[in-house]
Amino acid sequence: MQHNQVLGGSEGEAQALKPLKQDMESMPTNNSGKQKWRKVAYGGIQPGYDDNYTDESFLEGMVMNANVVKRDFLKVMLDSVSISQYLCVASLVVVIWIQTLHSVIGETSLLCLDAGLLAMGFSIILLTASQLSLQLFLHYLLKISFFISGLYILAPVYHTLTRSISSDTIWALSVSLLLIHLFLHDYSGSAIRPPGAHNHPTLSNSISLNASIVASVLIASRLPSRLHVFAVLLFSLQVFLFAPLVVFSIKRYSFRAHLWFSFMLMFMALSIVYALRPVLFVILLVLLVFVSVICPYWLIRIQEYKFEINGPWDEAKLCFDITE
Amino acid sequence: MDELKRHRILMVSDFFYPNFGGVESHIYCLSQCLIQLGHKVVVMTHAYGNRSGVRYMTGGLKVYYIPWRPFFMQNTLPTLYGTLPIIRTILIRERISVVHGHQAFSTLCHEALMHARTMGYKSVFTDHSLYGFADVGSIHMNKVLQFTLADIDQAICVSHTSKENTVLRSGIAPEMVFVIPNAVDTAMFTPAPKRLSYDEIVIVVISRLVYRKGADLLVEVIPEVCRLHPNVRFVIGGDGLKRVRLEEMREKHSLQDRVEMLGAVPHARVRSVLVSGHIFLNSSLTEAFCIAILEAASCGLLTVSTRVGGVPEVLPDDMIVLAEPTPADMVHAITKAILLLPNVNPFAMHDRMKGLYSWHDVAKRTEVVYDRALLCSGGSLLQRLPRYLNCGAWAGKLFCLVMIINFLLWQLLQLLQPSKSIEEVPDFLMLENQDKEI
């Protein structure tokens, strides 16, 4: 045994064997006299068993689909109402844009619409807030007035900002940006916190919001006057920035109210779109049916393919919060 | 040794000296012991800084540092076919018979095994770590592993838990996976010559201070242990992102005189840090096999560890105190270890470790795996393609395409640079000379 020097493992190998023998003797044996295989890594190769020996305890610790929630069709359908509702909101915004561009809606009625929406949003937030306070109201009012005056000052800039871009590009960009916005929008409202709480916007949320704002700015350059620009921008920003907050407030206040509100919005959107162009109405209707009936059914169907594996190899989860 | 039984092994991994860690020392120690058993071993890794080209290490271990730069976490850029020419040249020059790849996230290892299979060499793969199944990174890595293992001759895992994990991830037959643990160089890790007094109990932690090694757990555990046991002191070796949090904890609880932070400890100094303590604390959240525990046990320290991954298999129950990875249970386990401490004889523990783990034993068991690999039938490309096709509806076809292109590239290389034109390296034995020197 002359080749032990480099790593020097062998000095006193005889002594080392003694404790090893103790380890071996402590092994349980079965009736045939052969030592029972143990799931251990120490003590070298286990006598009588190859290293690729696999006994019945193999994968004993594996747990399958431990955290899978059984989904209920009705529950998924009701959850999908949030998506349909937001689709309707977005389509209403597009209708307003188109009507303004065709000069069907004038700047005065647009401004009235803005004021009405603002008042409605305010009252909903204040009514559904857990504690009604004047301080909160003033806080909101101050912020909104800053926002509106800022937008008014910047309206001439937005009016000319993208004017040099050709109209075709503007339409194509606006449509794709809106699609991005709808695709990445946070429908669950998980990123919306009541005022004061910590807000952790995710990347997709920010992209979604920015896409919608850029789309409105692009549209603004095709409008006839500065006042139009201000009115349309205020309208779209109100919807894209604050509608999720309002919807979330309603939902938190009462789910029934949320459902009624959504159905009302859907009805409104469908009738307005129908008046505008029947083809768009059909598309919107198909989309709503797809989102609220077909997709939930699809989700329930593919649940059976869910395959989740847990076992002793998983990284341990810390049971306390580490963000300090 | 009989020329027929003599293997000519190429060890491939992105991780090798001068980098330091479990995989690196595994490859080094295994290679040394295989050389002593009379096999020829060549190591291939990527270039580390200026270290590019061929180097020789102890015992005539030849190392090819191929001129590819690492781009992310010491990994070479995955190019699929970029490394084919140089790997083919090395395989022919060194007349390799078995290619042995290490570590699932080494791109060089995956590429080398792919080329080796294309050229009909026997291939063996060792998996050193555990993976989950849920996140995008794991899903991708598991698919890559499935590709590599689809046509492997034999696979090795370092613990039984790791074997279960590998079998699930890659879908290969459990009979093809051998469990050969790591070992420890007991001659390097000896206990302190004089037994330490038990007036003050020193708990040693040596690990990278990162999330996966449970640094956050330490932040919770240390103040509580210090409060319960006024005679306990901590020595923490290692560096990492979470070091700041540990230092904050030390300030917050005014433990500056009881918690010593050493920063990164070079491997050569690990023993001197270990022997200054009574208890070794391992707080990892995931671990396929923990070499640090072996080193501590070899130095005669009682180990307290989280019960994660392969850790429960590593030591007999009377040499380790296991705890669930929660602060309360860890504190409880440390208290239990402190009570057990007077019964622990470091020298007896060291002697026991000599019997339980040795790299020579690992090498002999790995030799058996190589013998089995040589018995496996190779088959032509057409016989091997179905194995890839079974990997999945889309992935299977993609894998087949990758293999076919690799085969064509290999045929092209055979035309451009015939095997005969590549000079073979003469073998020489270092063993006799080296023994005389010692």
Side-chain angles (χ1 to χ4, degrees), chain A residues 2-4 6-8 19 23 37 39-44 50-52 54 59 62 312-313 315-316 320 324, chain B residues 33 36 133 160 163-165 175 179 181 185 187 211-212 245 285 309 313 316 352 356 360-361 365 372 435:
Chain A
Q2 55 160 324
H3 44 250
N4 271 324
V6 173
L7 290 154
D23 286 323
W37 183 83
K39 197 177 174 178
V40 293
Y42 53 81
D50 281 340
D51 277 325
N52 62 347
T54 312
L59 289 182
M62 182 170 83
W313 48 81
E315 190 175 292
F320 49 90
E324 273 175 37
Chain B
C33 291
Q36 284 168 16
F133 298 91
H160 296 285
K163 173 175 170 174
E164 294 178 346
N165 187 239
E175 292 72 37
V179 175
D185 187 359
Y211 173 80
R212 281 166 71 92
R245 280 206 73 204
L285 300 181
E313 303 167 24
R352 253 180 100 181
L356 292 179
H360 296 284
D361 174 56
R365 291 160 76 175
R372 293 274 183 95
D435 277 355

Side-chain angles (χ1 to χ4, degrees), chain B residues 84 88 118-120 381 384 403-419:
Chain B
L84 178 61
R88 172 172 171 263
T118 304
M119 289 183 258
L381 179 71
R384 289 189 291 113
M403 286 311 283
I404 291 168
I405 294 175
N406 204 35
F407 182 81
L408 293 176
L409 282 176
W410 174 52
Q411 293 297 328
L412 184 73
L413 274 179
Q414 294 277 55
L415 280 178
L416 293 176
Q417 191 187 19
S419 307

Side-chain angles (χ1 to χ4, degrees), chain B residues 56-204:
Chain B
Y56 284 92
M57 298 180 83
T58 317
L61 174 64
K62 190 174 186 181
V63 186
Y64 282 90
Y65 290 92
I66 64 165
W68 285 73
R69 297 287 160 193
F71 90 114
F72 176 65
M73 281 172 72
Q74 288 301 345
N75 268 296
T76 44
L77 187 74
T79 54
L80 286 182
Y81 308 116
T83 47
L84 178 61
I86 192 159
I87 288 176
R88 172 172 171 263
T89 311
I90 292 174
L91 288 173
I92 295 170
R93 268 178 69 82
E94 301 288 344
R95 288 185 287 140
I96 296 299
S97 58
V98 179
V99 178
H100 187 170
H102 290 265
Q103 185 66 310
F105 48 84
S106 161
T107 43
L108 190 62
C109 154
H110 287 296
E111 287 185 16
L113 288 176
M114 178 175 102
H115 303 324
R117 294 305 301 149
T118 304
M119 289 183 258
Y121 289 93
K122 300 295 170 195
S123 55
V124 176
F125 172 79
T126 300
D127 202 349
H128 291 262
S129 49
L130 300 176
Y131 266 93
F133 298 91
D135 57 302
V136 180
S138 303
I139 292 170
H140 169 70
M141 284 311 299
N142 293 346
K143 218 62 202 172
V144 172
L145 185 76
Q146 196 181 17
F147 170 67
T148 301
L149 294 195
D151 190 28
I152 204 89
D153 291 302
Q154 301 291 339
I156 301 175
C157 287
V158 289
S159 64
H160 296 285
T161 307
S162 168
K163 173 175 170 174
E164 294 178 346
N165 187 239
T166 305
V167 167
L168 279 179
R169 281 158 57 204
S170 63
I172 62 170
E175 292 72 37
M176 277 173 65
V177 186
F178 288 70
V179 175
I180 302 178
N182 284 311
V184 61
D185 187 359
T186 41
M188 245 182 85
F189 291 93
T190 50
K194 210 166 138 274
R195 267 181 93 153
L196 302 167
S197 88
Y198 292 114
D199 299 336
E200 187 192 47
I201 290 164
V202 180
I203 300 180
V204 182

Side-chain angles (χ1 to χ4, degrees), chain A residues 7-315:
Chain A
L7 290 154
S10 84
E11 34 113 17
E13 207 164 67
Q15 296 167 4
L17 279 177
K18 221 195 294 170
L20 179 61
K21 209 175 264 171
Q22 287 167 8
D23 286 323
M24 295 289 184
E25 276 159 11
S26 65
M27 281 181 189
T29 51
N30 57 18
N31 343 343
S32 63
K34 193 177 171 188
Q35 268 149 354
K36 204 169 176 313
W37 183 83
R38 295 179 306 161
K39 197 177 174 178
V40 293
Y42 53 81
I45 190 161
Q46 296 189 29
Y49 299 98
D50 281 340
D51 277 325
N52 62 347
Y53 177 76
T54 312
D55 84 338
E56 61 274 12
S57 74
F58 188 70
L59 289 182
E60 200 170 54
M62 182 170 83
V63 183
M64 261 159 57
N65 292 353
N67 307 319
V68 174
V69 202
K70 256 290 192 224
R71 280 170 211 275
D72 180 39
F73 185 59
L74 192 68
K75 175 93 175 47
V76 180
M77 259 178 89
L78 288 180
D79 284 343
S80 75
V81 166
S82 305
I83 302 174
S84 323
Q85 183 204 46
Y86 197 76
L87 285 177
C88 291
V89 170
S91 54
L92 283 175
V93 172
V94 174
V95 168
I96 297 283
W97 283 354
I98 292 173
Q99 297 295 57
T100 317
L101 286 168
H102 291 163
S103 306
V104 178
I105 308 177
E107 60 258 60
T108 339
S109 40
L110 260 178
L111 284 173
C112 290
L113 183 67
D114 286 346
L117 270 183
L118 202 61
M120 204 175 81
F122 249 116
S123 42
I124 288 177
I125 286 187
L126 287 177
L127 283 176
T128 55
S130 41
Q131 73 269 35
L132 209 60
S133 72
L134 191 68
Q135 208 183 353
L136 194 69
F137 179 71
L138 287 177
H139 172 79
Y140 278 138
L141 207 62
L142 193 70
K143 281 203 166 171
I144 290 286
S145 55
F146 275 138
F147 179 75
I148 292 176
S149 42
L151 197 65
Y152 187 73
I153 294 166
L154 287 174
V157 179
Y158 291 133
H159 191 203
T160 51
L161 187 65
T162 54
R163 181 169 280 173
S164 54
I165 301 175
S166 86
S167 289
D168 287 345
T169 315
I170 296 268
W171 306 138
L173 266 178
S174 310
V175 168
S176 36
L177 283 170
L178 268 185
L179 287 179
I180 289 175
H181 168 69
L182 286 177
F183 188 70
L184 295 178
H185 183 73
D186 172 37
Y187 293 99
S188 65
S190 60
I192 303 165
R193 298 280 179 285
H198 257 296
N199 211 344
H200 299 285
T202 60
L203 180 68
S204 62
N205 274 329
S206 322
I207 292 177
S208 156
L209 187 60
N210 281 304
S212 65
I213 291 174
V214 173
S216 354
V217 169
L218 287 175
I219 291 290
S221 67
R222 304 294 113 157
L223 293 170
S225 79
R226 286 173 192 177
L227 202 59
H228 272 103
V229 171
F230 168 68
V232 163
L233 269 183
L234 185 60
F235 171 72
S236 16
L237 287 182
Q238 267 177 6
V239 171
F240 291 131
L241 278 174
F242 303 123
L245 185 62
V246 172
V247 165
F248 177 69
S249 301
I250 296 176
K251 201 172 170 183
R252 201 183 36 181
Y253 181 69
S254 141
F255 194 74
R256 194 175 285 271
H258 164 73
L259 282 183
W260 279 114
F261 181 63
S262 313
F263 288 133
M264 205 181 70
L265 262 177
M266 278 183 222
F267 179 73
M268 203 162 86
L270 284 171
S271 48
I272 290 177
V273 171
Y274 184 73
L276 187 71
R277 209 164 291 168
V279 183
L280 290 180
F281 167 79
V282 172
I283 293 177
L284 185 62
L285 191 67
V286 168
L287 199 63
L288 289 184
V289 170
F290 178 70
V291 163
S292 50
V293 181
I294 298 178
C295 283
Y297 177 69
W298 194 9
L299 182 71
I300 301 284
R301 278 295 302 278
I302 58 175
Q303 277 294 300
E304 62 186 89
Y305 300 110
K306 184 123 182 160
F307 186 51
E308 193 186 77
I309 309 171
N310 291 97
W313 48 81
D314 281 336
E315 190 175 292

Side-chain angles (χ1 to χ4, degrees), chain B residues 210-245:
Chain B
V210 293
Y211 173 80
R212 281 166 71 92
K213 297 285 177 190
D216 300 290
L217 216 47
L218 289 178
V219 172
E220 303 288 319
V221 167
I222 290 174
E224 188 60 17
V225 172
C226 286
R227 196 179 61 80
L228 285 175
H229 307 281
N231 61 335
V232 166
R233 204 161 62 81
F234 279 89
V235 175
I236 301 175
D239 207 343
L241 290 174
K242 298 281 182 180
R243 186 175 173 179
V244 182
R245 280 206 73 204

